[in-house]
Amino acid sequence: MSLHPAINEKDHAKGNLKATLEIVEYGDYQCPYCGAAYPVLNEMMKEFGSQVKFVFRNFPLSEIHPSARIAALAAEAAALQGKFWEMHDAIYNDQSHLHTKDLLQRATSLGLDMDKFANDLEEEDLANRIDADFESGIRSGVNGTPSFFINGKKFDGGADNLLQLLRESTETN
């Protein structure tokens, strides 16, 4: 399966934005497997961040994770104030507190404009963005989280496998 659409300017990206090695994660903020992958991905970025462009796309599995969508909205609302990755990290660092009041506390801690943040949580554009990420995941063959793509091709493994692959590829080069 291939990534549809390809990485574009609407995506949240970090690392070396000009890297030829592009990794995309479809994640759910309430998913325990995504939570387990989070520190592994951080380790990957510490080791290979200068060689990797890392992109996160929302894939909230709302039927089994009822707080996943509001957490995704919080990350997108924080993005409107330039703090996507800070909110992303704050959520994954404590997945057990994902109620609206918890997300508002995180926004306060990040120094966000709280009136704007609260209004943005209700914005249809943000909901549409999350829906577009989810639809792109469906079109790309995502059927669970976390799911990864390397240079546009689906990677059939977890974060540990991904990190190991990168380590092995640098050993052979």
Coordinates of all heavy atoms in Angstrom, one line a residue, residues 58-140:
N58 N -3.4 12.3 12.0 CA -4.4 11.9 12.9 C -5.2 10.7 12.4 O -5.6 10.7 11.2 CB -5.4 13.0 13.2 CG -4.7 14.2 13.9 OD1 -4.3 14.1 15.0 ND2 -4.7 15.3 13.1
F59 N -5.3 9.7 13.2 CA -6.2 8.5 12.9 C -6.9 8.1 14.1 O -6.7 7.0 14.7 CB -5.3 7.4 12.3 CG -6.1 6.4 11.5 CD1 -6.5 6.7 10.2 CD2 -6.5 5.2 12.1 CE1 -7.2 5.7 9.5 CE2 -7.2 4.2 11.3 CZ -7.6 4.5 10.0
P60 N -7.8 9.0 14.6 CA -8.5 8.7 15.9 C -9.5 7.5 15.7 O -10.4 7.6 14.9 CB -9.2 10.0 16.3 CG -9.4 10.7 15.0 CD -8.2 10.3 14.1
L61 N -9.3 6.5 16.5 CA -10.3 5.4 16.4 C -11.3 5.6 17.5 O -11.4 5.0 18.6 CB -9.5 4.1 16.7 CG -8.4 3.8 15.7 CD1 -7.6 2.6 16.2 CD2 -9.0 3.5 14.3
S62 N -12.2 6.5 17.2 CA -13.2 7.1 18.1 C -14.1 6.1 18.7 O -14.6 6.3 19.8 CB -14.0 8.2 17.5 OG -13.1 9.2 17.0
E63 N -14.4 5.0 18.0 CA -15.4 4.0 18.5 C -14.8 3.3 19.7 O -15.5 2.9 20.6 CB -15.8 3.0 17.4 CG -16.7 3.7 16.4 CD -17.1 2.7 15.3 OE1 -17.0 1.5 15.6 OE2 -17.6 3.1 14.2
I64 N -13.5 3.1 19.7 CA -12.9 2.4 20.9 C -12.1 3.3 21.8 O -11.8 2.9 22.9 CB -12.0 1.2 20.4 CG1 -10.9 1.7 19.4 CG2 -12.8 0.1 19.8 CD1 -9.9 0.6 19.1
H65 N -11.8 4.5 21.3 CA -11.1 5.5 22.1 C -11.8 6.8 22.0 O -11.6 7.7 21.2 CB -9.7 5.7 21.5 CG -8.8 4.5 21.5 ND1 -8.0 4.1 20.5 CD2 -8.7 3.5 22.4 CE1 -7.4 3.0 20.7 NE2 -7.8 2.6 21.9
P66 N -12.8 7.0 22.9 CA -13.7 8.1 22.9 C -13.0 9.5 23.1 O -13.6 10.5 22.7 CB -14.7 7.8 24.0 CG -14.1 6.8 24.9 CD -13.1 6.0 24.0
S67 N -11.8 9.5 23.7 CA -11.2 10.8 23.9 C -10.2 11.1 22.8 O -9.5 12.2 22.8 CB -10.5 10.8 25.2 OG -11.4 10.7 26.3
A68 N -10.0 10.2 21.8 CA -9.0 10.4 20.8 C -9.2 11.6 19.9 O -8.3 12.3 19.5 CB -8.9 9.1 19.9
R69 N -10.5 11.8 19.6 CA -10.8 12.9 18.7 C -10.6 14.2 19.3 O -10.1 15.2 18.7 CB -12.3 12.7 18.1 CG -12.6 13.8 17.1 CD -13.9 13.5 16.3 NE -14.2 14.5 15.4 CZ -13.7 14.5 14.1 NH1 -12.9 13.5 13.7 NH2 -14.0 15.4 13.3
I70 N -11.0 14.4 20.6 CA -10.9 15.7 21.2 C -9.4 16.0 21.4 O -8.9 17.1 21.4 CB -11.7 15.8 22.6 CG1 -11.6 17.2 23.1 CG2 -11.2 14.8 23.6 CD1 -12.3 18.3 22.3
A71 N -8.6 14.9 21.7 CA -7.1 15.1 21.8 C -6.5 15.5 20.5 O -5.7 16.4 20.5 CB -6.5 13.8 22.3
A72 N -7.0 14.9 19.4 CA -6.5 15.4 18.1 C -6.9 16.8 17.8 O -6.1 17.6 17.3 CB -7.1 14.4 17.0
L73 N -8.1 17.2 18.2 CA -8.6 18.6 18.0 C -7.7 19.5 18.8 O -7.3 20.6 18.4 CB -10.0 18.7 18.4 CG -11.1 18.2 17.4 CD1 -12.5 18.1 18.1 CD2 -11.1 19.1 16.2
A74 N -7.3 19.1 20.0 CA -6.4 19.9 20.9 C -5.1 20.1 20.2 O -4.5 21.2 20.2 CB -6.3 19.3 22.3
A75 N -4.5 19.1 19.6 CA -3.2 19.2 19.0 C -3.4 20.1 17.7 O -2.5 21.0 17.5 CB -2.7 17.8 18.5
E76 N -4.5 20.0 17.0 CA -4.6 20.8 15.8 C -4.9 22.3 16.2 O -4.4 23.2 15.6 CB -5.8 20.3 15.0 CG -5.5 19.0 14.3 CD -4.3 19.0 13.4 OE1 -4.0 20.1 12.8 OE2 -3.7 17.9 13.2
A77 N -5.6 22.5 17.3 CA -5.9 23.9 17.8 C -4.5 24.5 18.3 O -4.3 25.7 18.1 CB -6.9 23.8 19.0
A78 N -3.7 23.7 19.0 CA -2.4 24.2 19.4 C -1.5 24.5 18.1 O -0.8 25.5 18.2 CB -1.7 23.1 20.2
A79 N -1.7 23.7 17.1 CA -0.9 24.0 15.8 C -1.2 25.4 15.3 O -0.4 26.0 14.8 CB -1.3 22.9 14.8
L80 N -2.5 25.8 15.5 CA -2.8 27.2 15.0 C -2.1 28.3 15.7 O -2.0 29.4 15.3 CB -4.3 27.4 15.1 CG -5.2 26.5 14.2 CD1 -6.7 26.7 14.5 CD2 -4.9 26.7 12.7
Q81 N -1.5 27.9 16.9 CA -0.7 28.8 17.6 C 0.8 28.4 17.6 O 1.6 28.8 18.5 CB -1.2 29.0 19.1 CG -2.6 29.5 19.1 CD -3.1 29.8 20.5 OE1 -2.4 30.4 21.3 NE2 -4.3 29.3 20.8
G82 N 1.1 27.6 16.7 CA 2.5 27.2 16.5 C 3.0 26.2 17.5 O 4.3 26.0 17.7
K83 N 2.1 25.4 18.2 CA 2.6 24.5 19.3 C 2.0 23.1 19.0 O 1.7 22.4 20.0 CB 2.0 25.0 20.6 CG 2.5 26.4 21.0 CD 3.8 26.4 21.8 CE 4.2 27.8 22.3 NZ 5.1 27.8 23.3
F84 N 2.0 22.6 17.8 CA 1.5 21.3 17.5 C 2.3 20.2 18.3 O 1.8 19.4 19.0 CB 1.5 21.0 16.0 CG 1.1 19.5 15.8 CD1 -0.2 19.1 15.8 CD2 2.1 18.6 15.5 CE1 -0.6 17.8 15.6 CE2 1.8 17.2 15.4 CZ 0.4 16.8 15.4
W85 N 3.6 20.3 18.0 CA 4.5 19.2 18.6 C 4.5 19.3 20.1 O 4.6 18.2 20.8 CB 5.9 19.2 18.0 CG 5.8 18.8 16.5 CD1 6.0 19.6 15.5 CD2 5.6 17.5 16.0 NE1 5.9 18.9 14.3 CE2 5.6 17.6 14.6 CE3 5.3 16.3 16.6 CZ2 5.4 16.5 13.8 CZ3 5.1 15.2 15.8 CH2 5.1 15.3 14.4
E86 N 4.4 20.5 20.7 CA 4.4 20.6 22.1 C 3.1 19.9 22.7 O 3.2 19.2 23.7 CB 4.5 22.1 22.5 CG 5.8 22.7 22.2 CD 6.0 23.3 20.8 OE1 5.1 22.9 19.9 OE2 6.9 24.0 20.6
M87 N 2.0 20.2 22.0 CA 0.7 19.5 22.5 C 0.8 18.0 22.2 O 0.3 17.2 23.1 CB -0.5 20.2 21.9 CG -1.8 19.6 22.3 SD -2.2 19.8 24.1 CE -2.8 21.5 24.1
H88 N 1.2 17.7 21.1 CA 1.4 16.2 20.7 C 2.2 15.5 21.8 O 1.8 14.5 22.3 CB 2.1 16.2 19.4 CG 2.6 14.8 18.9 ND1 1.8 14.0 18.2 CD2 3.7 14.2 19.1 CE1 2.5 12.9 17.9 NE2 3.7 13.0 18.5
D89 N 3.3 16.1 22.2 CA 4.2 15.5 23.2 C 3.5 15.5 24.6 O 3.5 14.5 25.3 CB 5.5 16.2 23.3 CG 6.3 16.1 22.1 OD1 6.0 15.2 21.2 OD2 7.3 16.8 21.9
A90 N 2.8 16.6 24.9 CA 2.1 16.6 26.2 C 1.0 15.6 26.3 O 0.9 15.0 27.4 CB 1.5 18.0 26.4
I91 N 0.3 15.3 25.2 CA -0.7 14.3 25.3 C -0.1 12.9 25.4 O -0.5 12.1 26.2 CB -1.6 14.4 24.0 CG1 -2.4 15.7 24.0 CG2 -2.5 13.2 23.9 CD1 -3.1 16.1 22.7
Y92 N 0.9 12.6 24.6 CA 1.5 11.3 24.7 C 2.2 11.0 26.0 O 2.4 9.9 26.4 CB 2.4 11.0 23.5 CG 1.6 10.5 22.3 CD1 1.7 11.1 21.0 CD2 0.8 9.4 22.4 CE1 1.0 10.6 19.9 CE2 0.1 8.9 21.3 CZ 0.2 9.5 20.1 OH -0.5 9.0 19.0
N93 N 2.7 12.1 26.6 CA 3.4 11.9 27.9 C 2.4 11.6 29.0 O 2.8 11.1 30.1 CB 4.2 13.2 28.3 CG 5.5 13.2 27.5 OD1 6.2 12.2 27.4 ND2 5.9 14.4 27.1
D94 N 1.1 11.8 28.8 CA 0.1 11.4 29.8 C -1.2 11.1 29.1 O -2.2 11.9 29.1 CB -0.1 12.6 30.8 CG -1.1 12.2 31.9 OD1 -1.6 11.1 32.0 OD2 -1.4 13.1 32.7
Q95 N -1.3 9.9 28.6 CA -2.5 9.5 27.9 C -3.7 9.2 28.8 O -4.8 9.0 28.3 CB -2.3 8.3 27.0 CG -1.4 8.5 25.8 CD -1.3 7.2 25.0 OE1 -0.6 6.3 25.5 NE2 -1.8 7.2 23.8
S96 N -3.5 9.1 30.1 CA -4.6 8.8 31.0 C -5.5 10.0 31.4 O -6.5 9.8 32.0 CB -4.0 8.2 32.3 OG -3.2 9.1 32.9
H97 N -5.1 11.2 30.9 CA -5.9 12.4 31.2 C -6.2 13.1 29.9 O -5.4 14.0 29.5 CB -5.1 13.3 32.2 CG -5.0 12.7 33.6 ND1 -3.8 12.0 33.9 CD2 -5.8 12.6 34.6 CE1 -4.0 11.5 35.1 NE2 -5.2 11.9 35.6
L98 N -7.3 12.7 29.3 CA -7.6 13.3 28.0 C -9.0 13.9 27.9 O -9.5 14.1 26.8 CB -7.5 12.2 26.9 CG -6.1 11.6 26.6 CD1 -6.2 10.5 25.6 CD2 -5.1 12.6 26.3
H99 N -9.5 14.2 29.1 CA -10.8 15.0 29.1 C -10.5 16.4 28.7 O -9.4 16.9 28.8 CB -11.4 14.9 30.4 CG -11.8 13.5 30.8 ND1 -12.9 12.8 30.2 CD2 -11.3 12.7 31.7 CE1 -13.0 11.6 30.7 NE2 -12.0 11.5 31.7
T100 N -11.5 17.1 28.3 CA -11.4 18.5 27.8 C -10.7 19.3 28.9 O -9.8 20.1 28.5 CB -12.8 19.1 27.5 OG1 -13.4 18.3 26.4 CG2 -12.7 20.5 27.0
K101 N -11.1 19.2 30.1 CA -10.4 20.0 31.2 C -8.9 19.7 31.2 O -8.1 20.6 31.5 CB -11.1 19.8 32.5 CG -10.9 18.4 33.1 CD -11.5 18.4 34.5 CE -11.4 17.0 35.2 NZ -10.1 16.4 35.2
D102 N -8.5 18.5 31.0 CA -7.1 18.1 31.0 C -6.4 18.8 29.8 O -5.2 19.2 30.0 CB -6.9 16.6 30.9 CG -7.6 15.9 32.1 OD1 -7.5 16.3 33.2 OD2 -8.3 14.9 31.8
L103 N -7.0 18.8 28.7 CA -6.4 19.4 27.5 C -6.3 20.9 27.6 O -5.3 21.5 27.2 CB -7.2 19.0 26.3 CG -7.2 17.4 26.0 CD1 -8.3 17.1 25.0 CD2 -5.8 16.9 25.6
L104 N -7.3 21.5 28.3 CA -7.3 22.9 28.5 C -6.1 23.3 29.5 O -5.4 24.3 29.3 CB -8.6 23.4 29.1 CG -9.8 23.4 28.1 CD1 -11.1 23.7 28.9 CD2 -9.6 24.4 27.0
Q105 N -5.9 22.4 30.5 CA -4.8 22.6 31.4 C -3.4 22.5 30.6 O -2.5 23.3 30.9 CB -4.8 21.6 32.5 CG -5.9 21.8 33.6 CD -6.0 20.8 34.6 OE1 -5.5 19.6 34.4 NE2 -6.6 21.1 35.7
R106 N -3.3 21.6 29.7 CA -2.1 21.5 28.9 C -1.9 22.7 28.1 O -0.8 23.2 27.9 CB -2.2 20.2 28.0 CG -2.0 18.9 28.8 CD -1.9 17.8 27.8 NE -1.7 16.5 28.5 CZ -2.6 15.6 28.7 NH1 -3.9 15.9 28.4 NH2 -2.4 14.5 29.4
A107 N -3.0 23.2 27.5 CA -2.9 24.4 26.7 C -2.4 25.6 27.5 O -1.6 26.4 27.1 CB -4.3 24.7 26.0
T108 N -3.0 25.7 28.7 CA -2.5 26.8 29.6 C -1.0 26.6 29.9 O -0.3 27.6 29.9 CB -3.3 26.7 30.9 OG1 -4.7 26.9 30.6 CG2 -2.8 27.8 31.9
S109 N -0.6 25.4 30.2 CA 0.8 25.1 30.5 C 1.7 25.5 29.3 O 2.9 25.9 29.5 CB 1.0 23.7 30.9 OG 0.3 23.3 32.0
L110 N 1.2 25.3 28.1 CA 2.0 25.6 26.9 C 2.0 27.1 26.6 O 2.6 27.6 25.6 CB 1.5 24.8 25.7 CG 1.7 23.3 25.8 CD1 1.0 22.7 24.6 CD2 3.1 23.0 25.8
G111 N 1.2 27.9 27.4 CA 1.1 29.3 27.2 C 0.3 29.8 26.0 O 0.5 30.8 25.4
L112 N -0.7 28.9 25.6 CA -1.5 29.3 24.5 C -2.6 30.3 24.9 O -2.9 30.5 26.1 CB -2.3 28.0 24.0 CG -1.4 26.9 23.5 CD1 -2.2 25.7 23.0 CD2 -0.5 27.4 22.4
D113 N -3.0 31.1 23.9 CA -4.1 32.0 24.1 C -5.4 31.2 24.3 O -5.8 30.5 23.4 CB -4.2 32.9 22.8 CG -5.4 33.8 22.8 OD1 -6.5 33.5 23.5 OD2 -5.3 34.9 22.2
M114 N -5.9 31.2 25.5 CA -6.9 30.2 25.9 C -8.3 30.5 25.2 O -9.0 29.6 24.9 CB -7.1 30.2 27.4 CG -5.9 29.5 28.1 SD -5.4 27.9 27.4 CE -6.9 27.0 27.8
D115 N -8.6 31.8 25.0 CA -9.8 32.1 24.3 C -9.8 31.6 22.9 O -10.7 30.9 22.4 CB -10.1 33.6 24.3 CG -10.5 34.2 25.6 OD1 -11.0 33.4 26.5 OD2 -10.3 35.4 25.9
K116 N -8.6 31.8 22.2 CA -8.5 31.3 20.8 C -8.5 29.8 20.8 O -9.2 29.2 20.0 CB -7.2 31.8 20.2 CG -6.9 31.3 18.8 CD -5.7 32.0 18.2 CE -5.4 31.4 16.8 NZ -6.4 31.0 16.0
F117 N -7.8 29.2 21.8 CA -7.7 27.7 21.8 C -9.1 27.1 22.0 O -9.5 26.2 21.2 CB -6.8 27.3 22.9 CG -6.6 25.8 23.1 CD1 -5.8 25.1 22.2 CD2 -7.3 25.0 24.0 CE1 -5.6 23.7 22.3 CE2 -7.2 23.7 24.1 CZ -6.3 23.0 23.3
A118 N -9.9 27.6 22.9 CA -11.2 27.1 23.2 C -12.1 27.3 22.0 O -12.9 26.4 21.6 CB -11.8 27.8 24.4
N119 N -12.0 28.4 21.3 CA -12.8 28.7 20.1 C -12.4 27.7 19.0 O -13.2 27.2 18.2 CB -12.7 30.1 19.6 CG -13.5 31.1 20.5 OD1 -14.5 30.7 21.2 ND2 -13.0 32.3 20.6
D120 N -11.1 27.5 18.8 CA -10.6 26.7 17.8 C -11.0 25.2 17.9 O -11.1 24.5 16.9 CB -9.0 26.8 17.6 CG -8.6 28.2 17.1 OD1 -9.4 28.9 16.5 OD2 -7.4 28.5 17.3
L121 N -11.1 24.8 19.2 CA -11.6 23.4 19.4 C -12.9 23.1 18.7 O -13.2 22.0 18.4 CB -11.7 23.1 20.9 CG -10.4 22.9 21.7 CD1 -10.7 22.7 23.2 CD2 -9.6 21.7 21.1
E122 N -13.7 24.2 18.6 CA -15.0 24.1 18.0 C -15.0 24.3 16.5 O -16.1 24.2 15.8 CB -16.0 25.1 18.6 CG -16.1 24.9 20.2 CD -16.6 23.6 20.6 OE1 -17.5 23.1 19.9 OE2 -16.2 23.1 21.6
E123 N -13.9 24.7 15.9 CA -13.8 25.0 14.5 C -14.1 23.8 13.6 O -13.4 22.8 13.7 CB -12.5 25.6 14.1 CG -12.3 27.1 14.5 CD -13.3 28.0 13.6 OE1 -13.4 27.7 12.4 OE2 -13.8 28.9 14.2
E124 N -14.9 24.0 12.6 CA -15.2 23.0 11.7 C -14.0 22.6 10.8 O -13.8 21.5 10.4 CB -16.4 23.4 10.8 CG -16.9 22.3 9.9 CD -18.2 22.7 9.2 OE1 -19.0 23.4 9.7 OE2 -18.3 22.2 8.0
D125 N -13.2 23.6 10.5 CA -12.0 23.4 9.7 C -11.1 22.4 10.4 O -10.5 21.5 9.7 CB -11.2 24.7 9.5 CG -11.9 25.6 8.5 OD1 -12.9 25.2 7.8 OD2 -11.5 26.8 8.3
L126 N -10.9 22.4 11.7 CA -10.1 21.5 12.4 C -10.7 20.1 12.3 O -10.0 19.1 12.1 CB -9.8 21.9 13.8 CG -9.0 23.2 14.0 CD1 -8.6 23.4 15.5 CD2 -7.7 23.1 13.2
A127 N -12.0 20.0 12.5 CA -12.6 18.7 12.5 C -12.5 18.1 11.0 O -12.2 16.9 10.9 CB -14.1 18.9 12.8
N128 N -12.6 19.0 10.0 CA -12.4 18.6 8.7 C -11.0 18.1 8.4 O -10.8 17.1 7.7 CB -12.8 19.7 7.7 CG -14.3 20.0 7.7 OD1 -15.1 19.2 8.1 ND2 -14.6 21.2 7.2
R129 N -10.0 18.7 9.0 CA -8.6 18.3 8.8 C -8.4 16.9 9.4 O -7.7 16.1 8.8 CB -7.7 19.3 9.5 CG -6.2 18.9 9.3 CD -5.3 19.7 10.2 NE -4.0 19.0 10.2 CZ -3.0 19.4 9.4 NH1 -3.0 20.5 8.7 NH2 -1.8 18.7 9.4
I130 N -9.0 16.7 10.6 CA -8.8 15.4 11.2 C -9.5 14.3 10.4 O -9.0 13.2 10.1 CB -9.4 15.4 12.7 CG1 -8.4 16.3 13.5 CG2 -9.5 14.0 13.2 CD1 -9.0 16.7 14.8
D131 N -10.7 14.7 9.9 CA -11.4 13.7 9.0 C -10.6 13.5 7.7 O -10.6 12.3 7.2 CB -12.8 14.3 8.6 CG -13.7 14.4 9.8 OD1 -13.5 13.7 10.8 OD2 -14.7 15.1 9.7
A132 N -9.9 14.5 7.2 CA -9.1 14.3 6.0 C -7.9 13.4 6.2 O -7.6 12.5 5.4 CB -8.7 15.7 5.4
D133 N -7.3 13.6 7.4 CA -6.2 12.7 7.8 C -6.7 11.2 7.9 O -6.1 10.3 7.4 CB -5.6 13.1 9.2 CG -4.6 14.2 9.1 OD1 -4.3 14.7 8.0 OD2 -4.0 14.5 10.2
F134 N -7.9 11.1 8.5 CA -8.4 9.7 8.7 C -8.7 9.1 7.4 O -8.4 7.9 7.1 CB -9.7 9.8 9.6 CG -10.2 8.5 10.0 CD1 -9.7 7.9 11.2 CD2 -11.1 7.8 9.3 CE1 -10.1 6.6 11.6 CE2 -11.6 6.5 9.7 CZ -11.1 5.9 10.8
E135 N -9.4 9.9 6.5 CA -9.7 9.4 5.2 C -8.4 9.0 4.4 O -8.4 8.0 3.7 CB -10.5 10.4 4.4 CG -11.9 10.6 4.9 CD -12.8 9.3 4.8 OE1 -12.7 8.6 3.8 OE2 -13.6 9.1 5.7
S136 N -7.4 9.8 4.5 CA -6.1 9.5 3.8 C -5.6 8.2 4.4 O -5.0 7.4 3.6 CB -5.1 10.6 3.9 OG -4.5 10.7 5.2
G137 N -5.7 8.0 5.7 CA -5.3 6.7 6.2 C -6.0 5.5 5.7 O -5.4 4.5 5.3
I138 N -7.3 5.7 5.5 CA -8.2 4.6 5.0 C -7.7 4.3 3.5 O -7.5 3.1 3.1 CB -9.7 5.0 5.0 CG1 -10.2 5.1 6.4 CG2 -10.5 4.0 4.2 CD1 -10.2 3.8 7.2
R139 N -7.5 5.4 2.7 CA -7.1 5.2 1.3 C -5.7 4.6 1.2 O -5.4 4.0 0.3 CB -7.1 6.6 0.6 CG -8.5 7.1 0.3 CD -8.5 8.2 -0.8 NE -7.5 9.2 -0.5 CZ -7.7 10.3 0.2 NH1 -8.9 10.6 0.7 NH2 -6.8 11.2 0.4
S140 N -4.9 4.8 2.3 CA -3.5 4.3 2.3 C -3.4 2.9 2.9 O -2.3 2.3 2.9 CB -2.6 5.2 3.1 OG -2.7 6.5 2.5

